Amino acid sequence: QVQLVESGGGLVQTGGSLRLSCAASGRTISNDVVGWFRQAPGKEREFVAAITWSIAIKYYADSVKGRFTISRDNTKNTVYLQMNSLKPEDTAVYYCAVSRARRIGVHPSEYEYDYWGQGTQITVSS
């Protein structure tokens, strides 16, 4: 069983920046994929970004390309989401998730993830 803990959420004004962290209790193996998702009240959960653990291939939703950057530190077993130029529409609870195996030829937004964190709230004031 993998435990995931998100941190770094909070309140920020439009145009500001935040960095989220996702710390895993266990080491992700080379085939693992780590994704970030978000869910606003009354809306469906949506894919934000993902990274493959072994060689750090990165994927982004169109809505965050150029503003968000996903990265990983394998020495700390942690994935980060740097969020710049934040907008009110970025307001949501953000979750990290882990898929235990990479699906070649399948976009990470379509994966069935095995483990989920508890979420951290991001609020962007207008």
Side-chain angles (χ1 to χ4, degrees):
Q1 187 73 15
V2 175
Q3 300 291 327
L4 302 172
V5 179
E6 302 96 335
S7 61
L11 176 65
V12 65
Q13 64 186 34
T14 298
S17 298
L18 288 172
R19 188 178 77 161
L20 302 183
S21 299
C22 175
S25 62
R27 195 181 197 92
T28 52
I29 63 175
S30 61
N31 287 335
D32 282 3
V33 175
V34 182
W36 284 98
F37 296 80
R38 65 187 183 187
Q39 187 168 22
K43 296 184 178 181
E44 294 184 355
R45 185 177 62 207
E46 65 174 331
F47 172 80
V48 176
I51 186 169
T52 65
W53 192 257
S54 59
I55 58 175
I57 300 174
K58 301 176 181 180
Y59 305 82
Y60 298 97
D62 289 342
S63 59
V64 306
K65 286 181 179 178
R67 299 189 298 121
F68 291 10
T69 302
I70 190 170
S71 62
R72 60 107 168 91
D73 185 342
N74 54 11
T75 66
K76 298 179 179 180
N77 214 30
T78 299
V79 170
Y80 304 98
L81 185 68
Q82 178 67 46
M83 305 184 295
N84 299 326
S85 302
L86 284 163
K87 306 174 181 179
E89 52 262 45
D90 296 318
T91 295
V93 177
Y94 283 68
Y95 301 89
C96 68
V98 170
S99 174
R100 301 309 309 186
R102 184 185 178 192
R103 280 78 158 172
I104 301 298
V106 179
H107 194 277
S109 65
E110 303 296 326
Y111 283 18
E112 294 184 357
Y113 287 82
D114 301 294
Y115 306 101
W116 293 83
Q118 83 288 349
T120 185
Q121 176 71 50
I122 302 298
T123 302
V124 184
S125 63
S126 59

